[in-house]
Amino acid sequence: MLRFGGKFLALAALLKACAAFLNSTETSSQFVLQNDRLYVAVDKGNGQVVDVVLDKQDLLGPVSGNTGKGPYVDCSCIPSGAWTPGGTAKFQLINGIDSTGTPFGGVRMSDTYAATNQSIEQWWFLREGETGLHLFTRVTYFNQATPYLRDLGELRTLFRPNTNLWTHLSGSDGNYAPIPSANAYKNEVVVQDASWYLGKTADDPYVQQYSDYFTKYTFAELWRDHKVHGQFSDGTTSSDGNTYGAWLVHNTRETYYGGPLHYDLVVDGIVYNYLVSGHYGAPVPNITHGFDRTWGPQYYHFNKGTPNTTLAELRADAAKYADPEWNADFYDSIAKYVPNYAPKSKRATFKATIQLPSGVKRPLAILSENKQDFQLNVFDKSSLQYWADIDASGHVEIPMVKAGTYRLTMFADGIFGWFIQDDVTVSATAAPLALKWAPESAGKEIWRIGVPDKSAGEYKHGYALDTSKPLQPEQYRIYWAKWDFPTDFPEGVVFKVGESAEAEDFNYIHWSWFPGYANYLRPEPVLEGVNNWTVQFDLSAAQLEGVETATFTVDLAGAHTANGNNKWAALPAEKYSSVPYTVAVNGEDVETWVIPAYRSGSCGVRSGIICQNFGHKFVFSTELLKEGTNEFVLSLPYNATDTETAILPGVIYVQYDALRLEFS
């Protein structure tokens, strides 16, 4: 009976092999990966994917310049700036059968920039039965003569079609739009760098349904809950009338930077995978001698539906693969081809039970570079990051964590500050942690403005919907000048605690002045009534009795100083590389906090609502307060400017997460 069973299994495997189809071959000009549904070709001349065909439907179109290609890799990483490797590449064709018995094929492209001896490698893998590509990207630099080369300013893979097949962009579940037409772009008006007014083409579907303005930053997304983004064809332009999707899936996120608060571009006619970028003030690593890092795996998924299949349905199909445990056996099988990738034998599941603070909402646990703010986790070239929601009972599990020592950070909506514990060991033998999260406190809370949730979304023009268009995007995503501060706040911001409402009376950006440059709607700047914001509040004698110290917490969800997106060195020619921020209590300045240059990023003017999160506590004597009405004035420098080389407003600003007053 056992012998019969063995013969039956062998026959079943043979039949499966006959039914399966996976071809990895080399021609005179290309490397081809092909299964029964997906055909992919890598060009030997440029080291890029130049053909992606799903069920006979061409998804890329013809090659023209840098379009009709992808996924391919490029960077801002050589001394002169940008480099698209592949022109002098070496290749390896890979094929095999993984531990599940599934055939796979792969192509490895390796190119070296000879002048500096820095290299980029790109892997594409295709499995039998799947309609997508598994990608890894590696950067190395070995040059003792020049130990520091530069920063790794940008590293990304791009699916960059040159076809009218694609009809819609999809950033997140609720943020999608028709792709603007060629005619809309033909009649565009530049309003600022990489931003256009398309309203002259009033019949364009994008203009009719989404916005009069277009910028790639409108479709940026937060990494925390992000699973998938891409492009959709509604069937009106496909060769067979069926719907199609091209998606980048975050099946793993361990090799990105910036943790769950990282915010980045995802789609604009190109389906991006930004492995490294400085967008929104994100830090980037330095390229130094010995740098050797591999990003991935990430998964580009291509799918097909019937003529009636919706964008949401194809998107949901792709999102199923956003799981670090999906295909882990396959990744183990190819680990020998991909340096620096850790197989399951070097990984473990992190487990913890946390006694949560009362009132906590959406608590999150993050593992990241030890003894470093996860938002700045670029110093260790082997830095990794993981996160997961904590359930209502306080339990959290994070699977597929590479064994090592990490910082554990926790934060939650409704809770000020962070829980931080360093030297957390993750291994197969490590015991689950049992922790108590005591929220930060400086005494009795008197009032708060906003919700501590690491965003400025609750304020005017934040998460509120733009109801002027049927798709109703969130207002912060739209070109900033549409939200005219002098019209909204003709007397400036005056917020009365207990009477005013954050969604109407507190703006999502605190400007130092309201810009005219790069402002399509109001070309003259407004300087008065902008930089000083007033917060009024009443105190009773009972609240002041027996207390001596007041602590006023200002937590920011973003700041733009004259340092722009530069991180590690202030710009000496810029007066406001670091920005003085002053709080006055009943007419008396209590402290000027200097916002550090390294926290700067282009946030609100790039349709951002969550950037670098940080804050400060202003501590002063309660003798400055009185029974009755009190007043805080929150001040940025009057007319504080920066130098912009692109068409951008040269303005200093901050964006608030939440504010709180406590007594002790």
Side-chain angles (χ1 to χ4, degrees), residues 449 506 510-512 530-535 552-556 558-559 561 576 578-584 589-596 614-618 632-638 640 652-660:
I449 297 172
F506 213 75
H510 181 172
W511 306 97
S512 58
V530 179
N531 67 305
N532 295 326
W533 285 20
T534 300
V535 175
F552 177 48
T553 298
V554 175
D555 280 350
L556 299 181
T561 80
Y576 294 111
S578 299
V579 173
Y581 176 100
T582 302
V583 171
D589 290 353
V590 296
E591 184 184 351
T592 295
W593 167 41
V594 178
I595 296 173
F614 62 105
H616 185 73
K617 298 184 187 304
F618 295 82
F632 287 175
V633 177
L634 318 178
S635 297
L636 288 171
Y638 176 83
I652 305 304
Y653 59 88
V654 299
Q655 292 174 262
Y656 294 101
D657 173 24
L659 306 96
R660 177 168 68 169

Side-chain angles (χ1 to χ4, degrees), residues 217 263 280 476 508 602-611 655:
Y217 297 95
Y263 202 82
Y280 299 101
Y476 79 89
Y508 79 125
S602 293
C603 197
V605 301
R606 291 298 201 185
S607 302
I609 202 76
I610 298 174
C611 294
Q655 292 174 262

Side-chain angles (χ1 to χ4, degrees), residues 267-290:
V267 64
D268 65 353
I270 303 169
V271 182
Y272 296 104
N273 182 22
Y274 269 95
L275 304 169
V276 181
S277 88
H279 297 136
Y280 299 101
V284 298
N286 287 327
I287 304 174
T288 56
H289 172 63

Side-chain angles (χ1 to χ4, degrees), residues 528-546:
E528 304 301 326
V530 179
N531 67 305
N532 295 326
W533 285 20
T534 300
V535 175
Q536 298 175 340
F537 56 97
D538 293 334
L539 292 175
S540 66
Q543 286 175 305
L544 290 168
E545 184 178 357

Side-chain angles (χ1 to χ4, degrees), residues 266-417:
V266 294
V267 64
D268 65 353
I270 303 169
V271 182
Y272 296 104
N273 182 22
Y274 269 95
L275 304 169
V276 181
S277 88
H279 297 136
Y280 299 101
V284 298
N286 287 327
I287 304 174
T288 56
H289 172 63
F291 188 91
D292 184 348
R293 182 176 176 88
T294 302
W295 285 261
Q298 272 83 47
Y299 180 59
Y300 274 93
H301 182 63
F302 308 102
N303 55 9
K304 173 184 176 181
T306 71
N308 296 321
T309 302
T310 65
L311 182 156
E313 288 171 326
L314 287 189
R315 179 185 174 88
D317 171 66
K320 293 185 301 186
Y321 306 109
D323 179 349
E325 295 182 286
W326 172 69
N327 259 334
D329 290 334
F330 166 61
Y331 295 134
D332 273 9
S333 297
I334 63 172
K336 61 184 178 182
Y337 300 110
V338 184
N340 305 318
Y341 178 73
K344 287 189 299 181
S345 60
K346 296 182 179 180
R347 297 175 180 269
T349 297
F350 169 79
K351 298 180 181 181
T353 301
I354 302 102
Q355 186 177 333
L356 297 170
S358 61
V360 69
K361 296 180 180 178
R362 294 202 318 141
L364 190 75
I366 306 124
L367 295 171
S368 61
E369 184 175 331
N370 198 34
K371 300 182 180 179
Q372 182 62 253
D373 180 351
F374 69 78
Q375 299 175 100
L376 306 174
N377 61 344
V378 297
F379 295 97
D380 182 346
K381 67 177 182 293
S382 60
S383 170
L384 298 171
Q385 57 180 26
Y386 310 86
W387 61 87
D389 293 323
I390 304 169
D391 70 20
S393 69
H395 183 68
V396 63
E397 290 191 8
I398 306 178
M400 294 292 289
V401 178
K402 185 178 179 181
T405 303
Y406 295 89
R407 165 174 285 191
L408 171 65
T409 305
M410 294 185 285
F411 67 84
D413 294 359
I415 305 298
F416 280 83

Side-chain angles (χ1 to χ4, degrees), residues 112-119 140-143:
T112 299
Y113 190 75
T116 55
N117 197 40
Q118 59 189 119
S119 296
T140 66
Y141 177 66
F142 298 98
N143 190 340

Side-chain angles (χ1 to χ4, degrees), residues 49-52 58-62 68-70 159-163 166:
V49 172
V50 294
D51 285 307
V52 178
D58 182 3
L59 304 185
L60 278 175
K69 299 178 179 179
F159 177 78
R160 195 170 194 167
N162 179 36
T163 172
W166 304 107

Side-chain angles (χ1 to χ4, degrees), residues 38 40 52 69-73 122-126 130-137 156-160 228-230 245-251 256 266 270-275 297-303 318 321 326 331:
L38 190 67
V40 177
V52 178
K69 299 178 179 179
Y72 71 93
V73 62
Q122 181 66 50
W123 287 262
W124 301 268
F125 289 97
L126 175 66
E130 294 181 353
T131 58
L133 291 171
H134 302 264
L135 271 64
F136 294 86
T137 306
R156 61 187 184 171
T157 59
L158 308 88
F159 177 78
R160 195 170 194 167
V228 64
H229 57 266
W247 312 97
L248 187 280
V249 179
H250 278 199
N251 56 317
Y256 294 119
V266 294
I270 303 169
V271 182
Y272 296 104
N273 182 22
Y274 269 95
L275 304 169
Q298 272 83 47
Y299 180 59
Y300 274 93
H301 182 63
F302 308 102
N303 55 9
Y321 306 109
W326 172 69
Y331 295 134

